[in-house]
PDB file of all heavy atoms in Angstrom:
ATOM      1  N   TYR U 262     -29.889  11.170   4.024  1.00  0.00           N
ATOM      2  CA  TYR U 262     -31.211  11.767   3.818  1.00  0.00           C
ATOM      3  C   TYR U 262     -32.287  10.923   4.502  1.00  0.00           C
ATOM      4  O   TYR U 262     -32.311   9.699   4.369  1.00  0.00           O
ATOM      5  CB  TYR U 262     -31.504  11.870   2.322  1.00  0.00           C
ATOM      6  CG  TYR U 262     -32.914  12.281   1.992  1.00  0.00           C
ATOM      7  CD1 TYR U 262     -33.384  13.551   2.313  1.00  0.00           C
ATOM      8  CD2 TYR U 262     -33.774  11.384   1.358  1.00  0.00           C
ATOM      9  CE1 TYR U 262     -34.685  13.927   2.008  1.00  0.00           C
ATOM     10  CE2 TYR U 262     -35.075  11.752   1.047  1.00  0.00           C
ATOM     11  CZ  TYR U 262     -35.525  13.024   1.383  1.00  0.00           C
ATOM     12  OH  TYR U 262     -36.812  13.385   1.091  1.00  0.00           O
ATOM     13  N   TYR U 263     -33.173  11.568   5.233  1.00  0.00           N
ATOM     14  CA  TYR U 263     -34.299  10.907   5.898  1.00  0.00           C
ATOM     15  C   TYR U 263     -35.319  11.979   6.242  1.00  0.00           C
ATOM     16  O   TYR U 263     -35.024  13.190   6.177  1.00  0.00           O
ATOM     17  CB  TYR U 263     -33.822  10.186   7.172  1.00  0.00           C
ATOM     18  CG  TYR U 263     -33.048  11.069   8.132  1.00  0.00           C
ATOM     19  CD1 TYR U 263     -33.688  11.814   9.111  1.00  0.00           C
ATOM     20  CD2 TYR U 263     -31.656  11.171   8.020  1.00  0.00           C
ATOM     21  CE1 TYR U 263     -32.979  12.649   9.966  1.00  0.00           C
ATOM     22  CE2 TYR U 263     -30.946  11.998   8.878  1.00  0.00           C
ATOM     23  CZ  TYR U 263     -31.605  12.732   9.840  1.00  0.00           C
ATOM     24  OH  TYR U 263     -30.904  13.556  10.682  1.00  0.00           O
ATOM     25  N   ASP U 264     -36.512  11.585   6.601  1.00  0.00           N
ATOM     26  CA  ASP U 264     -37.556  12.549   6.977  1.00  0.00           C
ATOM     27  C   ASP U 264     -37.090  13.374   8.169  1.00  0.00           C
ATOM     28  O   ASP U 264     -36.671  12.830   9.188  1.00  0.00           O
ATOM     29  CB  ASP U 264     -38.856  11.824   7.333  1.00  0.00           C
ATOM     30  CG  ASP U 264     -39.546  11.215   6.128  1.00  0.00           C
ATOM     31  OD1 ASP U 264     -39.226  11.636   4.995  1.00  0.00           O
ATOM     32  OD2 ASP U 264     -40.386  10.315   6.313  1.00  0.00           O
ATOM     33  N   GLY U 265     -37.133  14.681   8.031  1.00  0.00           N
ATOM     34  CA  GLY U 265     -36.735  15.579   9.102  1.00  0.00           C
ATOM     35  C   GLY U 265     -35.247  15.855   9.164  1.00  0.00           C
ATOM     36  O   GLY U 265     -34.772  16.420  10.153  1.00  0.00           O
ATOM     37  N   TRP U 266     -34.510  15.487   8.116  1.00  0.00           N
ATOM     38  CA  TRP U 266     -33.053  15.608   8.161  1.00  0.00           C
ATOM     39  C   TRP U 266     -32.592  17.063   8.292  1.00  0.00           C
ATOM     40  O   TRP U 266     -31.679  17.361   9.072  1.00  0.00           O
ATOM     41  CB  TRP U 266     -32.426  14.947   6.936  1.00  0.00           C
ATOM     42  CG  TRP U 266     -32.624  15.679   5.645  1.00  0.00           C
ATOM     43  CD1 TRP U 266     -33.814  15.942   5.024  1.00  0.00           C
ATOM     44  CD2 TRP U 266     -31.601  16.247   4.824  1.00  0.00           C
ATOM     45  NE1 TRP U 266     -33.601  16.638   3.862  1.00  0.00           N
ATOM     46  CE2 TRP U 266     -32.256  16.834   3.703  1.00  0.00           C
ATOM     47  CE3 TRP U 266     -30.220  16.309   4.898  1.00  0.00           C
ATOM     48  CZ2 TRP U 266     -31.561  17.482   2.675  1.00  0.00           C
ATOM     49  CZ3 TRP U 266     -29.519  16.953   3.875  1.00  0.00           C
ATOM     50  CH2 TRP U 266     -30.201  17.527   2.793  1.00  0.00           C
ATOM     51  N   LEU U 267     -33.222  18.000   7.558  1.00  0.00           N
ATOM     52  CA  LEU U 267     -32.778  19.384   7.613  1.00  0.00           C
ATOM     53  C   LEU U 267     -33.034  20.008   8.979  1.00  0.00           C
ATOM     54  O   LEU U 267     -32.221  20.800   9.476  1.00  0.00           O
ATOM     55  CB  LEU U 267     -33.475  20.205   6.521  1.00  0.00           C
ATOM     56  CG  LEU U 267     -32.934  20.015   5.098  1.00  0.00           C
ATOM     57  CD1 LEU U 267     -33.746  20.845   4.118  1.00  0.00           C
ATOM     58  CD2 LEU U 267     -31.457  20.388   5.008  1.00  0.00           C
ATOM     59  N   GLU U 268     -34.132  19.639   9.602  1.00  0.00           N
ATOM     60  CA  GLU U 268     -34.425  20.158  10.935  1.00  0.00           C
ATOM     61  C   GLU U 268     -33.354  19.702  11.932  1.00  0.00           C
ATOM     62  O   GLU U 268     -32.904  20.484  12.781  1.00  0.00           O
ATOM     63  CB  GLU U 268     -35.804  19.702  11.391  1.00  0.00           C
ATOM     64  CG  GLU U 268     -36.977  20.338  10.660  1.00  0.00           C
ATOM     65  CD  GLU U 268     -37.246  19.715   9.290  1.00  0.00           C
ATOM     66  OE1 GLU U 268     -36.570  18.716   8.959  1.00  0.00           O
ATOM     67  OE2 GLU U 268     -38.117  20.223   8.558  1.00  0.00           O
ATOM     68  N   GLU U 269     -32.940  18.443  11.817  1.00  0.00           N
ATOM     69  CA  GLU U 269     -31.920  17.944  12.739  1.00  0.00           C
ATOM     70  C   GLU U 269     -30.550  18.560  12.452  1.00  0.00           C
ATOM     71  O   GLU U 269     -29.765  18.803  13.385  1.00  0.00           O
ATOM     72  CB  GLU U 269     -31.851  16.424  12.682  1.00  0.00           C
ATOM     73  CG  GLU U 269     -33.087  15.759  13.257  1.00  0.00           C
ATOM     74  CD  GLU U 269     -32.853  14.319  13.667  1.00  0.00           C
ATOM     75  OE1 GLU U 269     -31.799  13.745  13.288  1.00  0.00           O
ATOM     76  OE2 GLU U 269     -33.699  13.774  14.377  1.00  0.00           O
ATOM     77  N   TYR U 270     -30.256  18.822  11.176  1.00  0.00           N
ATOM     78  CA  TYR U 270     -28.986  19.483  10.875  1.00  0.00           C
ATOM     79  C   TYR U 270     -28.995  20.933  11.339  1.00  0.00           C
ATOM     80  O   TYR U 270     -27.962  21.459  11.782  1.00  0.00           O
ATOM     81  CB  TYR U 270     -28.654  19.376   9.385  1.00  0.00           C
ATOM     82  CG  TYR U 270     -27.832  18.147   9.071  1.00  0.00           C
ATOM     83  CD1 TYR U 270     -28.419  17.011   8.524  1.00  0.00           C
ATOM     84  CD2 TYR U 270     -26.471  18.113   9.350  1.00  0.00           C
ATOM     85  CE1 TYR U 270     -27.670  15.868   8.267  1.00  0.00           C
ATOM     86  CE2 TYR U 270     -25.713  16.988   9.091  1.00  0.00           C
ATOM     87  CZ  TYR U 270     -26.315  15.868   8.552  1.00  0.00           C
ATOM     88  OH  TYR U 270     -25.568  14.738   8.299  1.00  0.00           O
ATOM     89  N   ALA U 271     -30.134  21.597  11.266  1.00  0.00           N
ATOM     90  CA  ALA U 271     -30.223  22.961  11.786  1.00  0.00           C
ATOM     91  C   ALA U 271     -29.919  22.978  13.284  1.00  0.00           C
ATOM     92  O   ALA U 271     -29.220  23.869  13.787  1.00  0.00           O
ATOM     93  CB  ALA U 271     -31.609  23.540  11.512  1.00  0.00           C
TER      94      ALA U 271
END
Side-chain angles (χ1 to χ4, degrees):
Y262 171 66
Y263 53 88
D264 289 342
W266 72 297
L267 283 178
E268 290 79 5
E269 291 201 347
Y270 269 101

